[in-house]
Amino acid sequence: MAYAGFLIRRLLQAIPVIFGVTFIVFWLIHLVPGDPARTALGLHATPAAIAKLHQEWGLDSSLPAQYLNYLGRLVTGNLGTSLRYQESAGTLILERLPVTLWLIVYSTVLVAIFAVPLALLAASRPGALRDRLVSIISVAGLGIPGFWLGLILIQYFAIEARVLPAAGFGSGFTGHLESMFLPSLTIAIGIIPMVVRSLRAEVLRTADLDFVVTARSKGLSERRIRWRHVLRNALPPSVTILMVNVGFLIGSTIVVELVFSLGGIGSLMINAINGRDFPLVQAVTLFFAFMVIFTNILGDLLQALLDPRLEAR
Amino acid sequence: MSVLTSESGAEGRDLLVVRDLRLGVGEGEGSFEPVVGAALRADRGEVVGVVGESGSGKSLMLRAIAGLLPPGVDYRGGEVTVGGIDVPHAKPADLHRLRGETVGMIFQEPMTALNPTMRIGTQIAEAARAHRDLGRGEAKARAIDLLGRMGFTEPARQYRLYPHELSGGMRQRVVIAIALAGEPALLLCDEPTTALDATVTMRVLDLIVGLVSDLDIGVVLVTHDLGVAARICDRIVVMYAGRMLEEGPADKVLRRPRHPYTLALLRAVPTRETTIEELRAIPGTPPVPQEQLPGCPFAPRCEFAEDACLREVRTVAIEDGRTTACRRHEVLAKMVEGAGV
Amino acid sequence: MSDGALNPSAELPRARRAAVGRSLGGAVRKRIGANASLTLGCVIFGTMLLIAALASVIAPFNPDTQDIPHALTAPGVEGHLLGTDQLGRDVLSRLLYGARIDIFIACGSVLFPFAIGLIVGMLAGYRGGWVDSVLVGIIDIVFAFPALVLLVALVFVLGPGIGTIVIAITLTDWVSYAQLSRTSSRREGTQEYILAARTGGIPTRRILFRHVLPNIIVQPIVLATSDALLIIIAITTLGFLGLGVPPPAPDWGTMISEAQPYLNVQWWLAVAPGVAIIITGLGLSLIGDGLAAKLDVR
């Protein structure tokens, strides 16, 4: 019950951010130099077609009226109509949502699988060889561009070794698991260095806290101290660390979906850009922002579940 | 540093013996010793106060007794024996047995000494289970019993609380319950009341005194507060710059100090009778541990010091089973007896 | 707090204490380690800067000269040390000129967000009140977008070009600096020496620039080094997506994108620019690490 209240409060807090996000997305079209309708339709557009688009987008009314109109449309679930596909942007996005969600969840799982042991290994003996190695790996890993890494992974694992598919979503759960491994790994490798660093620092910070000395003074085993006291208390901040990187993770899907020819929301955005499909670019941008906001609310909720001190708030 | 022959007969009996303890930080150049030649004895049924300013090494010495030195600090020499365990050379298994079962520890900050994500009852129960083969239910019953002893009015309900739901004084009671859960013979208290306000301090001190007689345990209480020491200690050890300067029964040490540093500490404590003019700060500053002098560490700030004090320091036995590290203690004694403190 | 100039964070005393509490030898090693990574980072990044500056001198060919009959030659053939691309252009020369374009855009793109974010954050944090609340709102809103998504959308609507890229990066990135300097400036504003200066009637502008700024600038500087790395990756990603510097200007991201079809046979076409990005990134990352350790930030 306390969590329901927490969730409601957190949703209310998100409202101003949601308004701000919609305003920026709305404003995007007015950043286009010159007439957006003409830019969208190209040089050979007829005046009639341009006028039609003006009317459709409401470009001739005042800015506040346009924004209110835009908000009104959003409230009814209308994200706009794609110029290129001649279809509702919302439908196009929902069709492609499973691929992108798979990618996000899969890469988050991979981040957890690799980052947690690495961070623990590094923190188990600060300054030792293992700590150095982990730190060198993360320093080097930070500078690898995802799109390049994706290409290299395809080349080695899919084309030369032929152990994994080079592209596509696959079919069935195991098919997805197999096909989405390389793309998810590409995203994960971009994030693991940051997570490992923060997590290592967090574990060390927690291990330095007084209650760990208390635990030791009780005569508990080092094992129990590590798992029940140090790690347990490093968990809530780890969620924060993941949340800080969630925007980066979601943004990476654009590049990775393109490299691995995945039909998700990210590649939809690139298609929209290549087709000068303004309404679709706006819709996708807005949807991505909503995904971040929603994930952050989930993260806060998870944190409240993990940290009894937050329960009361 | 000389060891007193007159005390040697008592060694076998003592629960805790610290002798000539040296603790070091770092290695090679830049290494230093924050504790040089500390000494301490304690037995069941007595409260021993370790008094000194911050930086005197008293807290480090306390951690050394439980084998809980912070990373980077190590034993450099001397003896620490608790209940027959040679702490500096103990195997990990012996250290686990020592902690909780032989010594319990109470910390300065009850706010941070408790795990914020674990119920207080669980924290006590897990300490009880660490040493005895107790079932969950038995451990819980023991935790509830301990909470009751600590003055919790509804222990069965309060067992389920988290630390952040308690006041500072109640948290410190939980820390004490944890320390007692393994039924230790010796309770080590590191400034247990510094973070608490005056009335709570008194209640926590009374609780500790009550435990000494009820459970027949020994207590080592580290504090910078002479008032706290005077209230509950049977014996007092005065530490300065990592050394023991004076030791003896509490009332004797506090009424008739035999070391100028103790006298200076007493003069710096405000009482109802003192006026602001009489209240005296100790001139100068404590030495930094990196600079070891051959002589008495307090000599540069001491009004009684003579040249010899800067060259050499020795601990000597005086009347009433007391010891002092001051070579001019007789001069001091005359002055103190003549004028009062 | 007399040495306040190097004391930007409240956690700092604790960090120092922890450093002393740990083995002093370890602290010494850590210090040397920090200096080593800083030195190495400066050497690597300095070399890249030098290459960028001297590209026109050291490049063996004109990076834009096409030579279709000699397209896709192997490394070493006819003086093309790294071979030629699908239009017969010298890959090494394009790589060197690419350093000029990508690193210089990155430097420019760090400078604007750094300056704008630092000043806006400092003013809002110091002033407090509604100005501060508005800034916090804006920061939350911009952070709600995945940075790359907003960047791609902005470059798309603004149209291609170096100026557009710098503007788009500035618009998405200034909030990181604003958030950092706002927090530090808020904390600094309540310090007693600032209160003393205010009571003493020292003008606000002078307090801000002479007292607050020097105390809060260290963290943003450290952030800027790791940020430059992310910006280089962002710029090359834009190039890869076809939203980067317009052709024929050589850009590492575009080079990788163009090399994609030939990955099977002429793998070095994609690998070389990738390695260039990684080396530059490594230099920046080492500088950031070294600076953070040296200045005791984080």
Side-chain angles (χ1 to χ4, degrees), chain B residues 99-129:
Chain B
R99 296 175 196 145
E101 205 172 319
T102 312
V103 299
M105 206 155 174
I106 301 172
F107 303 91
Q108 180 170 355
E109 262 303 333
M111 186 72 218
T112 55
L114 293 171
N115 183 340
T117 59
M118 201 187 264
R119 298 182 195 280
I120 57 169
T122 318
Q123 301 193 43
I124 302 170
E126 112 183 312
R129 291 184 74 183

mmCIF file of all heavy atoms in Angstrom, chain B residues 99-129:
data_model
loop_
_atom_site.group_PDB
_atom_site.id
_atom_site.type_symbol
_atom_site.label_atom_id
_atom_site.label_comp_id
_atom_site.label_asym_id
_atom_site.label_seq_id
_atom_site.Cartn_x
_atom_site.Cartn_y
_atom_site.Cartn_z
ATOM 1 N N ARG B 99 36.055 -12.290 18.559
ATOM 2 C CA ARG B 99 35.078 -11.225 18.356
ATOM 3 C C ARG B 99 33.687 -11.738 18.652
ATOM 4 O O ARG B 99 33.249 -12.731 18.079
ATOM 5 C CB ARG B 99 35.131 -10.732 16.917
ATOM 6 C CG ARG B 99 36.445 -10.106 16.578
ATOM 7 C CD ARG B 99 36.467 -9.746 15.122
ATOM 8 N NE ARG B 99 37.821 -9.495 14.683
ATOM 9 C CZ ARG B 99 38.260 -9.815 13.480
ATOM 10 N NH1 ARG B 99 37.469 -10.379 12.608
ATOM 11 N NH2 ARG B 99 39.507 -9.539 13.162
ATOM 12 N N GLY B 100 32.999 -11.066 19.511
ATOM 13 C CA GLY B 100 31.644 -11.468 19.826
ATOM 14 C C GLY B 100 31.611 -12.405 21.016
ATOM 15 O O GLY B 100 30.810 -12.249 21.914
ATOM 16 N N GLU B 101 32.516 -13.399 21.025
ATOM 17 C CA GLU B 101 32.466 -14.396 22.088
ATOM 18 C C GLU B 101 33.291 -13.957 23.302
ATOM 19 O O GLU B 101 32.910 -14.173 24.434
ATOM 20 C CB GLU B 101 33.002 -15.719 21.540
ATOM 21 C CG GLU B 101 32.482 -16.918 22.287
ATOM 22 C CD GLU B 101 32.880 -18.205 21.587
ATOM 23 O OE1 GLU B 101 32.808 -18.249 20.343
ATOM 24 O OE2 GLU B 101 33.265 -19.150 22.281
ATOM 25 N N THR B 102 34.454 -13.345 23.047
ATOM 26 C CA THR B 102 35.282 -12.884 24.158
ATOM 27 C C THR B 102 35.147 -11.381 24.347
ATOM 28 O O THR B 102 35.038 -10.880 25.452
ATOM 29 C CB THR B 102 36.764 -13.242 23.903
ATOM 30 O OG1 THR B 102 36.846 -14.602 23.506
ATOM 31 C CG2 THR B 102 37.590 -13.011 25.149
ATOM 32 N N VAL B 103 35.174 -10.652 23.228
ATOM 33 C CA VAL B 103 34.991 -9.197 23.337
ATOM 34 C C VAL B 103 33.800 -8.763 22.490
ATOM 35 O O VAL B 103 33.552 -9.292 21.418
ATOM 36 C CB VAL B 103 36.245 -8.411 22.884
ATOM 37 C CG1 VAL B 103 37.435 -8.752 23.737
ATOM 38 C CG2 VAL B 103 36.539 -8.622 21.423
ATOM 39 N N GLY B 104 33.060 -7.784 23.019
ATOM 40 C CA GLY B 104 32.004 -7.136 22.264
ATOM 41 C C GLY B 104 32.412 -5.696 22.108
ATOM 42 O O GLY B 104 33.168 -5.164 22.923
ATOM 43 N N MET B 105 31.931 -5.043 21.033
ATOM 44 C CA MET B 105 32.406 -3.695 20.793
ATOM 45 C C MET B 105 31.249 -2.718 20.606
ATOM 46 O O MET B 105 30.265 -3.024 19.936
ATOM 47 C CB MET B 105 33.301 -3.700 19.559
ATOM 48 C CG MET B 105 34.277 -2.578 19.597
ATOM 49 S SD MET B 105 35.737 -2.936 18.625
ATOM 50 C CE MET B 105 36.539 -1.361 18.763
ATOM 51 N N ILE B 106 31.410 -1.536 21.179
ATOM 52 C CA ILE B 106 30.411 -0.479 21.042
ATOM 53 C C ILE B 106 31.084 0.729 20.425
ATOM 54 O O ILE B 106 32.197 1.083 20.806
ATOM 55 C CB ILE B 106 29.818 -0.106 22.418
ATOM 56 C CG1 ILE B 106 29.175 -1.332 23.042
ATOM 57 C CG2 ILE B 106 28.790 1.001 22.282
ATOM 58 C CD1 ILE B 106 28.743 -1.090 24.463
ATOM 59 N N PHE B 107 30.394 1.344 19.464
ATOM 60 C CA PHE B 107 31.053 2.391 18.677
ATOM 61 C C PHE B 107 30.514 3.779 18.974
ATOM 62 O O PHE B 107 29.474 3.960 19.588
ATOM 63 C CB PHE B 107 30.899 2.086 17.190
ATOM 64 C CG PHE B 107 31.448 0.748 16.828
ATOM 65 C CD1 PHE B 107 30.642 -0.382 16.856
ATOM 66 C CD2 PHE B 107 32.776 0.601 16.491
ATOM 67 C CE1 PHE B 107 31.141 -1.624 16.533
ATOM 68 C CE2 PHE B 107 33.292 -0.636 16.167
ATOM 69 C CZ PHE B 107 32.473 -1.748 16.187
ATOM 70 N N GLN B 108 31.245 4.752 18.458
ATOM 71 C CA GLN B 108 30.933 6.151 18.724
ATOM 72 C C GLN B 108 29.623 6.591 18.071
ATOM 73 O O GLN B 108 28.837 7.293 18.671
ATOM 74 C CB GLN B 108 32.083 7.004 18.192
ATOM 75 C CG GLN B 108 31.889 8.484 18.403
ATOM 76 C CD GLN B 108 33.150 9.249 18.083
ATOM 77 O OE1 GLN B 108 34.184 8.673 17.794
ATOM 78 N NE2 GLN B 108 33.061 10.555 18.120
ATOM 79 N N GLU B 109 29.416 6.164 16.813
ATOM 80 C CA GLU B 109 28.293 6.666 16.036
ATOM 81 C C GLU B 109 27.212 5.601 15.892
ATOM 82 O O GLU B 109 27.278 4.780 14.991
ATOM 83 C CB GLU B 109 28.775 7.054 14.638
ATOM 84 C CG GLU B 109 29.068 8.516 14.427
ATOM 85 C CD GLU B 109 27.898 9.428 14.735
ATOM 86 O OE1 GLU B 109 26.735 8.983 14.630
ATOM 87 O OE2 GLU B 109 28.167 10.591 15.074
ATOM 88 N N PRO B 110 26.197 5.595 16.753
ATOM 89 C CA PRO B 110 25.171 4.559 16.621
ATOM 90 C C PRO B 110 24.421 4.692 15.295
ATOM 91 O O PRO B 110 23.842 3.743 14.795
ATOM 92 C CB PRO B 110 24.249 4.811 17.806
ATOM 93 C CG PRO B 110 24.480 6.223 18.190
ATOM 94 C CD PRO B 110 25.890 6.533 17.832
ATOM 95 N N MET B 111 24.469 5.890 14.708
ATOM 96 C CA MET B 111 23.805 6.132 13.422
ATOM 97 C C MET B 111 24.412 5.249 12.337
ATOM 98 O O MET B 111 23.708 4.665 11.530
ATOM 99 C CB MET B 111 24.014 7.604 13.065
ATOM 100 C CG MET B 111 23.273 8.058 11.838
ATOM 101 S SD MET B 111 21.527 8.157 12.162
ATOM 102 C CE MET B 111 20.899 7.558 10.597
ATOM 103 N N THR B 112 25.734 5.167 12.298
ATOM 104 C CA THR B 112 26.387 4.458 11.202
ATOM 105 C C THR B 112 26.845 3.060 11.590
ATOM 106 O O THR B 112 27.264 2.293 10.750
ATOM 107 C CB THR B 112 27.610 5.238 10.711
ATOM 108 O OG1 THR B 112 28.466 5.478 11.832
ATOM 109 C CG2 THR B 112 27.208 6.564 10.106
ATOM 110 N N ALA B 113 26.770 2.741 12.891
ATOM 111 C CA ALA B 113 27.276 1.440 13.325
ATOM 112 C C ALA B 113 26.293 0.322 13.030
ATOM 113 O O ALA B 113 26.627 -0.844 13.175
ATOM 114 C CB ALA B 113 27.607 1.469 14.808
ATOM 115 N N LEU B 114 25.074 0.686 12.637
ATOM 116 C CA LEU B 114 24.076 -0.343 12.345
ATOM 117 C C LEU B 114 23.821 -0.412 10.849
ATOM 118 O O LEU B 114 23.837 0.601 10.155
ATOM 119 C CB LEU B 114 22.766 -0.011 13.081
ATOM 120 C CG LEU B 114 22.848 -0.101 14.599
ATOM 121 C CD1 LEU B 114 21.575 0.453 15.228
ATOM 122 C CD2 LEU B 114 23.071 -1.529 15.051
ATOM 123 N N ASN B 115 23.584 -1.622 10.374
ATOM 124 C CA ASN B 115 23.286 -1.835 8.963
ATOM 125 C C ASN B 115 21.901 -1.268 8.638
ATOM 126 O O ASN B 115 20.900 -1.744 9.178
ATOM 127 C CB ASN B 115 23.333 -3.336 8.683
ATOM 128 C CG ASN B 115 23.108 -3.668 7.228
ATOM 129 O OD1 ASN B 115 22.561 -2.860 6.477
ATOM 130 N ND2 ASN B 115 23.522 -4.841 6.833
ATOM 131 N N PRO B 116 21.816 -0.269 7.762
ATOM 132 C CA PRO B 116 20.538 0.407 7.537
ATOM 133 C C PRO B 116 19.489 -0.449 6.836
ATOM 134 O O PRO B 116 18.314 -0.117 6.877
ATOM 135 C CB PRO B 116 20.911 1.610 6.668
ATOM 136 C CG PRO B 116 22.207 1.247 6.038
ATOM 137 C CD PRO B 116 22.906 0.351 7.010
ATOM 138 N N THR B 117 19.904 -1.536 6.185
ATOM 139 C CA THR B 117 18.921 -2.320 5.445
ATOM 140 C C THR B 117 18.511 -3.595 6.175
ATOM 141 O O THR B 117 17.860 -4.448 5.597
ATOM 142 C CB THR B 117 19.465 -2.715 4.054
ATOM 143 O OG1 THR B 117 20.657 -3.480 4.251
ATOM 144 C CG2 THR B 117 19.783 -1.500 3.210
ATOM 145 N N MET B 118 18.914 -3.721 7.444
ATOM 146 C CA MET B 118 18.586 -4.947 8.171
ATOM 147 C C MET B 118 17.816 -4.586 9.443
ATOM 148 O O MET B 118 18.146 -3.619 10.119
ATOM 149 C CB MET B 118 19.886 -5.677 8.539
ATOM 150 C CG MET B 118 19.739 -7.143 8.842
ATOM 151 S SD MET B 118 21.273 -7.853 9.463
ATOM 152 C CE MET B 118 21.960 -8.533 7.993
ATOM 153 N N ARG B 119 16.787 -5.379 9.748
ATOM 154 C CA ARG B 119 16.013 -5.118 10.963
ATOM 155 C C ARG B 119 16.923 -5.263 12.182
ATOM 156 O O ARG B 119 17.819 -6.109 12.198
ATOM 157 C CB ARG B 119 14.855 -6.105 11.070
ATOM 158 C CG ARG B 119 13.876 -5.989 9.932
ATOM 159 C CD ARG B 119 12.715 -6.948 10.099
ATOM 160 N NE ARG B 119 11.972 -7.078 8.841
ATOM 161 C CZ ARG B 119 11.080 -6.176 8.421
ATOM 162 N NH1 ARG B 119 10.815 -5.116 9.154
ATOM 163 N NH2 ARG B 119 10.457 -6.335 7.268
ATOM 164 N N ILE B 120 16.657 -4.432 13.215
ATOM 165 C CA ILE B 120 17.570 -4.442 14.370
ATOM 166 C C ILE B 120 17.597 -5.810 15.029
ATOM 167 O O ILE B 120 18.644 -6.295 15.445
ATOM 168 C CB ILE B 120 17.209 -3.345 15.403
ATOM 169 C CG1 ILE B 120 15.772 -3.486 15.887
ATOM 170 C CG2 ILE B 120 17.452 -1.964 14.826
ATOM 171 C CD1 ILE B 120 15.449 -2.604 17.083
ATOM 172 N N GLY B 121 16.433 -6.459 15.087
ATOM 173 C CA GLY B 121 16.377 -7.777 15.721
ATOM 174 C C GLY B 121 17.269 -8.774 14.993
ATOM 175 O O GLY B 121 17.990 -9.559 15.613
ATOM 176 N N THR B 122 17.232 -8.721 13.664
ATOM 177 C CA THR B 122 18.062 -9.633 12.867
ATOM 178 C C THR B 122 19.537 -9.385 13.138
ATOM 179 O O THR B 122 20.332 -10.318 13.190
ATOM 180 C CB THR B 122 17.772 -9.425 11.367
ATOM 181 O OG1 THR B 122 16.374 -9.287 11.186
ATOM 182 C CG2 THR B 122 18.293 -10.588 10.559
ATOM 183 N N GLN B 123 19.888 -8.105 13.302
ATOM 184 C CA GLN B 123 21.294 -7.785 13.537
ATOM 185 C C GLN B 123 21.771 -8.348 14.884
ATOM 186 O O GLN B 123 22.917 -8.764 15.010
ATOM 187 C CB GLN B 123 21.520 -6.270 13.481
ATOM 188 C CG GLN B 123 21.125 -5.686 12.135
ATOM 189 C CD GLN B 123 21.623 -4.267 11.915
ATOM 190 O OE1 GLN B 123 22.752 -3.938 12.233
ATOM 191 N NE2 GLN B 123 20.775 -3.421 11.359
ATOM 192 N N ILE B 124 20.866 -8.350 15.862
ATOM 193 C CA ILE B 124 21.239 -8.922 17.162
ATOM 194 C C ILE B 124 21.271 -10.445 17.064
ATOM 195 O O ILE B 124 22.209 -11.094 17.506
ATOM 196 C CB ILE B 124 20.239 -8.476 18.254
ATOM 197 C CG1 ILE B 124 20.203 -6.953 18.349
ATOM 198 C CG2 ILE B 124 20.620 -9.075 19.597
ATOM 199 C CD1 ILE B 124 19.078 -6.414 19.216
ATOM 200 N N ALA B 125 20.231 -11.000 16.416
ATOM 201 C CA ALA B 125 20.125 -12.461 16.325
ATOM 202 C C ALA B 125 21.310 -13.045 15.572
ATOM 203 O O ALA B 125 21.845 -14.091 15.950
ATOM 204 C CB ALA B 125 18.809 -12.837 15.635
ATOM 205 N N GLU B 126 21.745 -12.345 14.520
ATOM 206 C CA GLU B 126 22.840 -12.906 13.724
ATOM 207 C C GLU B 126 24.123 -12.912 14.556
ATOM 208 O O GLU B 126 24.966 -13.804 14.408
ATOM 209 C CB GLU B 126 22.977 -12.141 12.401
ATOM 210 C CG GLU B 126 24.221 -11.329 12.255
ATOM 211 C CD GLU B 126 24.304 -10.534 10.973
ATOM 212 O OE1 GLU B 126 24.052 -11.098 9.905
ATOM 213 O OE2 GLU B 126 24.647 -9.336 11.042
ATOM 214 N N ALA B 127 24.267 -11.926 15.458
ATOM 215 C CA ALA B 127 25.441 -11.912 16.339
ATOM 216 C C ALA B 127 25.378 -13.076 17.323
ATOM 217 O O ALA B 127 26.386 -13.707 17.626
ATOM 218 C CB ALA B 127 25.518 -10.585 17.087
ATOM 219 N N ALA B 128 24.152 -13.383 17.796
ATOM 220 C CA ALA B 128 24.005 -14.498 18.733
ATOM 221 C C ALA B 128 24.308 -15.823 18.041
ATOM 222 O O ALA B 128 24.927 -16.714 18.614
ATOM 223 C CB ALA B 128 22.580 -14.507 19.296
ATOM 224 N N ARG B 129 23.871 -15.937 16.776
ATOM 225 C CA ARG B 129 24.057 -17.200 16.049
ATOM 226 C C ARG B 129 25.486 -17.412 15.569
ATOM 227 O O ARG B 129 25.862 -18.514 15.213
ATOM 228 C CB ARG B 129 23.123 -17.255 14.845
ATOM 229 C CG ARG B 129 21.677 -17.372 15.229
ATOM 230 C CD ARG B 129 20.825 -17.523 14.010
ATOM 231 N NE ARG B 129 20.947 -18.863 13.428
ATOM 232 C CZ ARG B 129 20.333 -19.221 12.311
ATOM 233 N NH1 ARG B 129 19.595 -18.368 11.667
ATOM 234 N NH2 ARG B 129 20.476 -20.449 11.843
#
